[in-house]
Amino acid sequence: MLTREQNELLTHTEPGTPGGELLRRYWQPAALSEELPPGGPPLPIRLFGEDLVLFRDEEGRPGLLGLHCSHRGADLSYGRLEDGGIRCLYHGWLYDREGRCLEQPGEPAGSTFHERIKHPAYPTREAAGVIFAYMGPGGPPLLPAYEFLRVSESQVFSTKYWHDCNYLQANEGNIDPMHLSFLHRLLREGGDFNRANGRPRGGNVSSNELFGRDVAPTLEVEQTDFGVRIFALRDAGNGTRYVRVSNFIYPNLSAFPGGGGGEGYGVNWHVPVDDEHHWKFNITFSRGAPLDRERMRQQHDAEVGPDYHLRRSKANRYLQDRREMQSRSYIGLGPFFPAHDKFAVEGPGPIQDREQEHPGSTDKAIMMARLLLLKGIQDVQQERDPMHVIRTPEANRLGHVGAVDVVLSNDDDWRSVWQRSLPIGEPAPPRA
Ligand code: FES
Ligand SMILES: [Fe+2]
């Protein structure tokens, strides 16, 4: 439970808000690379309550500028891509990726007016099929060298889903492992509802089966340099235990096991559009073999439109099928996890009123994450770097970030399973 003031601090992220100032200290997903193909049109986007235009210059480098022209406000997303930047259609002002105004055709020869224009511009980077932006003050930190941002194109699948709710309640869903025993449960696997590939290492049944066998996991959490490591421990029968390790990664993403059908894990990164809407960027990667991207694309396209909105929404009651609930799935919303989560996290309304909630013992990780976020807001207000802002290559060794699930003997040490599974020793190459 939070007071109204605390809830506002954490959920309000528009320009000038303390929560927004915190999130802007980190690289954030701005769009998918596939939305901005080389030679394609500029893309209008909205992030943290700010209207922006994303474009590629003639060399293919992404630039992110304020949407409205500094002259008299025309919409730059209709602009011409030429002469080293983007040109406004109204009177021809030309901007480069750094927000410099290069030309003002209407001004007299020799005018220096253009030198005094500083158009809003944010640095960008591209990795794992995602274009990232740094919208904070000062020099940007390093882009975190997460394993999922460093694998080859064939090992990663990135997409995004529109959500009609605040970013925080959705990320809190990722760090609540209890809901896997209810929200995502299949009563019968097979056909379109096949999760046979979701079998944890050491286990001889699917994770779905294990979530159903023990619906009351024991939760253990530990604070780390990157956020919170979460252990969900379930009785798997015959003297074994199902251990599921997930992460809250500061400040607005999470890592969780599964998703790709191999070694690797999934990531949800929740980026505010404004206080009542957000994009959930979803990145799935495989550590070894390439992903079956074609199959993932088919499953995705069956549930998600070309505008990245899910077919199931509040307006159509998420197409719930009450007959499906009798024999196939616990909730009657089909086999696609993101649809289940969207239903669950939009339920509390655009911004969850946390004065009305009653968190229990399985909400431990959420409580710890909120405290860390409140602390980060304070750090920014006192002009300190909040946690997990990375400025040196040494601090960018992030092999210990990651999710894993495994079935172990009850005698085996569950706390160290992530150390035995993640590529911890590998050095992280510095990124510019
Ligand atoms: S409004 Fe853009 S050049 Fe005039
Ligand atoms: Fe979920």
Side-chain angles (χ1 to χ4, degrees):
M1 188 175 150
L2 293 177
T3 64
R4 195 157 66 85
E5 291 71 27
Q6 288 172 323
N7 201 32
E8 282 177 8
L9 273 178
L10 294 183
T11 55
H12 291 200
T13 62
E14 299 200 352
T17 57
E21 286 301 312
L22 173 66
L23 294 183
R24 283 165 181 254
R25 294 304 198 273
Y26 301 83
W27 286 98
Q28 297 284 350
L32 298 169
S33 299
E34 67 186 24
E35 295 181 87
L36 200 68
L43 188 69
I45 61 172
R46 190 169 163 80
L47 291 177
F48 301 102
E50 209 171 316
D51 288 314
L52 303 161
V53 57
L54 189 61
F55 66 99
R56 287 190 197 274
D57 67 12
E58 289 151 307
E59 282 158 48
R61 297 172 305 183
L64 183 63
L65 301 181
L67 183 71
H68 297 287
C69 180
S70 282
H71 178 214
R72 284 188 15 240
D75 183 335
L76 288 175
S77 72
Y78 293 85
R80 297 177 66 91
L81 297 172
E82 60 190 20
D83 302 326
I86 187 165
R87 190 184 292 282
C88 180
L89 300 188
Y90 204 179
H91 315 93
W93 285 24
L94 176 70
Y95 301 94
D96 70 6
R97 293 165 64 239
E98 275 78 44
R100 282 184 294 247
C101 183
L102 304 178
E103 291 178 18
Q104 295 168 321
E107 296 304 307
S111 161
T112 57
F113 179 30
H114 69 102
E115 290 169 14
R116 299 198 296 279
I117 303 296
K118 186 72 197 101
H119 192 74
Y122 300 109
T124 59
R125 298 273 189 282
E126 209 162 358
V130 177
I131 299 170
F132 291 86
Y134 177 71
M135 294 174 65
L142 299 182
L143 182 69
Y146 300 129
E147 194 184 0
F148 55 88
L149 296 185
R150 298 171 55 204
V151 292
S152 73
E153 203 183 316
S154 65
Q155 290 167 283
V156 66
F157 183 88
S158 299
T159 186
K160 65 178 191 177
Y161 308 114
W162 177 263
H163 278 63
D164 286 310
C165 69
N166 186 259
Y167 85 99
L168 182 66
Q169 64 212 54
N171 199 29
E172 290 186 342
N174 298 318
I175 55 175
D176 141 32
M178 164 76 185
H179 81 269
L180 288 147
S181 291
F182 291 87
L183 188 76
H184 298 301
R185 275 273 288 138
L186 300 183
L187 305 178
R188 182 159 52 85
E189 298 182 57
D192 288 346
F193 288 70
N194 186 10
R195 297 236 184 96
N197 59 10
R199 188 175 287 185
R201 199 144 42 86
N204 49 17
V205 294
S206 68
S207 51
N208 177 62
E209 175 73 26
L210 294 164
F211 293 136
R213 278 188 195 172
D214 183 355
V215 301
T218 302
L219 232 72
E220 298 284 344
V221 295
E222 50 188 41
Q223 191 182 324
T224 65
D225 59 314
F226 61 79
V228 183
R229 185 176 292 116
I230 304 153
F231 301 87
L233 309 173
R234 285 180 168 87
D235 181 9
N238 299 324
T240 63
R241 176 187 282 137
Y242 177 34
V243 185
R244 183 178 184 275
V245 183
S246 54
N247 299 160
F248 163 62
I249 306 175
Y250 206 83
N252 58 331
L253 59 153
S254 299
F256 46 87
E263 294 261 322
Y265 53 88
V267 171
N268 286 333
W269 202 322
H270 297 266
V271 186
V273 170
D274 54 35
D275 291 346
E276 300 190 351
H277 305 89
H278 78 275
W279 286 112
K280 164 168 147 178
F281 284 81
N282 172 257
I283 303 172
T284 304
F285 89 100
S286 161
R287 183 169 297 124
L291 286 176
D292 187 349
R293 283 161 47 100
E294 208 156 301
R295 189 178 62 90
M296 294 178 76
R297 172 61 61 191
Q298 279 169 9
Q299 289 172 343
H300 176 272
D301 290 355
E303 294 278 345
V304 188
D307 57 358
Y308 304 98
H309 285 236
L310 277 93
R311 204 161 57 83
R312 298 170 190 267
S313 69
K314 192 171 180 178
N316 58 28
R317 293 193 59 78
Y318 302 92
L319 303 173
Q320 189 184 39
D321 180 343
R322 308 287 299 185
R323 269 175 320 174
E324 183 188 303
M325 293 167 76
Q326 288 164 16
S327 57
R328 301 240 57 183
S329 75
Y330 189 75
I331 65 169
L333 300 188
F336 195 58
F337 270 44
H340 309 164
D341 287 320
K342 182 168 144 70
F343 148 75
V345 302
E346 288 179 348
I351 303 179
Q352 186 190 344
D353 178 356
R354 291 178 175 78
E355 276 188 298
Q356 306 301 327
E357 64 174 12
H358 300 86
S361 54
T362 60
D363 300 309
K364 264 189 200 171
I366 294 173
M367 298 302 126
M368 187 177 270
R370 289 180 188 173
L371 288 177
L372 293 176
L373 290 171
L374 288 168
K375 166 78 169 56
I377 286 173
Q378 232 176 41
D379 287 337
V380 171
Q381 286 172 333
Q382 293 167 7
E383 295 179 15
R384 282 191 300 266
D385 263 352
M387 68 184 286
H388 201 44
V389 167
I390 298 166
R391 299 208 185 269
T392 64
E394 298 72 49
N396 210 9
R397 293 165 64 103
L398 300 176
H400 60 301
V401 178
V404 56
D405 63 345
V406 56
V407 175
L408 291 178
S409 155
N410 282 344
D411 306 328
D412 214 338
D413 173 34
W414 53 265
R415 216 173 252 285
S416 62
V417 291
W418 60 273
Q419 284 156 312
R420 290 180 260 158
S421 309
L422 298 176
I424 294 166
E426 281 178 29
R431 271 179 187 275

